[in-house]
Amino acid sequence: MAEGNGQVDTAAAQAAMSVMPGGAAVGGALATFNNMNFIVDGKSSSGPGAGGGFSMSREEAEAALEEARGIADDLTFQVREARLLAQTQSPADDPASMGFHNVGLEALGNGAQHVEAERDYWRSLVTALEKALGVYQAADEQAGQDVGGSGGQDSNGGGLI
């Protein structure tokens, strides 16, 4: 799962997950929030006329964002730990130890990929909520400028309205 710039490479994540046992269902979930419409205080993150999605107040959206960030951060730590587990060394070089060890490494590698997919899922929610809150904030600032301009508001915040 590519993450160099903080963005989630959804196609790569889905491809990686699809080859794992039960991974297609998990990998498909990564796209859940990519095109989701979040409506914050009546303002749509997908633009005017976009139907459906999640509707919430700004306070609810901010609380959900902080919760999702916390979960994504926790999972980022768990990804590092899972990757370390997947690099364990065999206790001996005999065929039985090596065979058992290789099976364990495969299971640990699959587990690490699953944790990465979970982290990416929560990161996609964070990105969607940030976008929704950013859209809300931009619309709110524009409305403030429009009201200020129509009321003869000066640079000190005073005006006729």
Side-chain angles (χ1 to χ4, degrees):
M1 299 1 112
E3 64 172 279
N5 61 0
Q7 298 297 314
V8 176
D9 184 349
T10 304
Q14 287 175 334
M17 292 305 298
S18 67
V19 298
M20 293 174 47
V26 175
L30 291 175
T32 300
F33 301 108
N34 285 351
N35 297 313
M36 185 64 61
N37 184 23
F38 285 87
I39 304 161
V40 179
D41 283 346
K43 294 177 180 70
S44 172
S45 66
S46 295
F54 293 98
S55 180
M56 59 188 79
S57 70
R58 180 168 183 79
E59 292 78 24
E60 291 169 329
E62 288 172 343
L65 175 60
E66 289 310 307
E67 183 73 20
R69 273 188 185 141
I71 292 169
D73 289 346
D74 290 345
L75 286 167
T76 297
F77 172 77
Q78 290 179 16
V79 165
R80 283 191 296 265
E81 295 297 309
R83 286 179 184 160
L84 288 174
L85 280 174
Q87 296 176 8
T88 59
Q89 300 297 315
S90 177
D93 288 334
D94 64 277
S97 294
M98 292 299 291
F100 184 76
H101 177 72
N102 289 338
V103 169
L105 284 182
E106 184 177 340
L108 291 170
N110 289 341
Q113 286 181 336
H114 182 78
V115 175
E116 287 176 17
E118 287 184 65
R119 180 214 46 213
D120 293 346
Y121 175 86
W122 285 98
R123 281 184 175 176
S124 72
L125 176 59
V126 167
T127 301
L129 287 168
E130 287 174 339
K131 176 184 173 190
L133 287 166
V135 167
Y136 172 87
Q137 188 173 22
D140 194 40
E141 289 171 2
Q142 182 61 48
Q145 290 173 0
D146 293 345
V147 168
S150 67
Q153 188 170 9
D154 62 20
S155 62
N156 295 331
L160 303 175
I161 293 180

